[in-house]
């Protein structure tokens, strides 16, 4: 339930590096399935509340690997909600290299795209 209460709580959790720890635990081979599930659930809940663009940029940078693709989708969904309302965040997203990371990700083709 940590970080789920408000955007301020989510920012505080992100600032102290808890989200990076959760992402590491989620992909560690030594982590139990229960721990992986709890980390994934916590990440999704906290990221959904996170509105601080710098914290989201950091998460994009840290989760650009294939092993984090599920979490990255959640991060990018939240970025897409925050960016339209944050002009400074847009420029930071580009200048920090987060946009370049997103653009370098492999594109998944869905069934509709294959039919076109």
């Amino acid at each position: 339930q940590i970080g789920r209460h408000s955007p301020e709580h989510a920012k505080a959790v992100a600032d102290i590096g808890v989200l990076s720890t959760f992402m590491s635990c989620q992909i560690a081979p030594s982590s139990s399935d229960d721990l992986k599930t709890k980390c994934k659930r916590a990440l999704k809940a906290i990221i959904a509340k996170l509105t601080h663009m710098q914290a989201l940029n950091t998460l994009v940078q840290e989760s650009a690997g294939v092993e984090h693709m599920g979490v990255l989708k959640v991060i990018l969904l939240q970025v897409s909600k925050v960016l339209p309302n944050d002009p400074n965040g847009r420029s930071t997203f580009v200048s920090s290299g987060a946009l370049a990371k997103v653009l370098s990700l492999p594109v998944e083709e869905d069934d509709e795209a294959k039919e076109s």
Side-chain angles (χ1 to χ4, degrees):
Q1 295 181 6
I2 192 166
R4 296 183 188 185
H5 302 290
S6 70
E8 292 80 21
H9 287 124
K11 181 184 179 305
V13 168
D15 287 345
I16 60 173
V18 173
L19 299 179
S20 298
T21 303
F22 284 168
M23 287 194 302
S24 296
C25 288
Q26 187 182 3
I27 63 166
S30 60
S31 295
S32 68
D33 289 340
D34 184 49
L35 178 61
K36 290 178 182 182
T37 301
K38 289 179 179 178
C39 286
K40 185 175 182 178
R41 189 178 309 136
L43 278 167
K44 285 182 175 182
I46 295 167
I47 292 167
K49 292 284 185 176
L50 192 58
T51 58
H52 188 255
M53 203 55 224
Q54 185 59 43
L56 290 168
N57 285 342
T58 302
L59 288 174
V60 168
Q61 298 286 347
E62 292 176 359
S63 65
V66 174
E67 65 275 359
H68 293 295
M69 203 55 82
V71 174
L72 187 58
K73 289 178 183 179
V74 175
I75 296 167
L76 293 177
L77 177 64
Q78 187 64 14
V79 166
S80 72
K81 293 176 184 175
V82 174
L83 274 183
N85 303 316
D86 187 357
N88 292 333
R90 287 192 293 268
S91 62
T92 302
F93 189 70
V94 173
S95 64
S96 71
L99 179 61
K101 285 279 189 187
V102 171
L103 293 175
S104 70
L105 294 172
V107 178
E108 293 180 6
E109 290 188 33
D110 59 1
D111 291 335
E112 293 177 18
K114 289 179 184 176
E115 291 175 7
S116 299

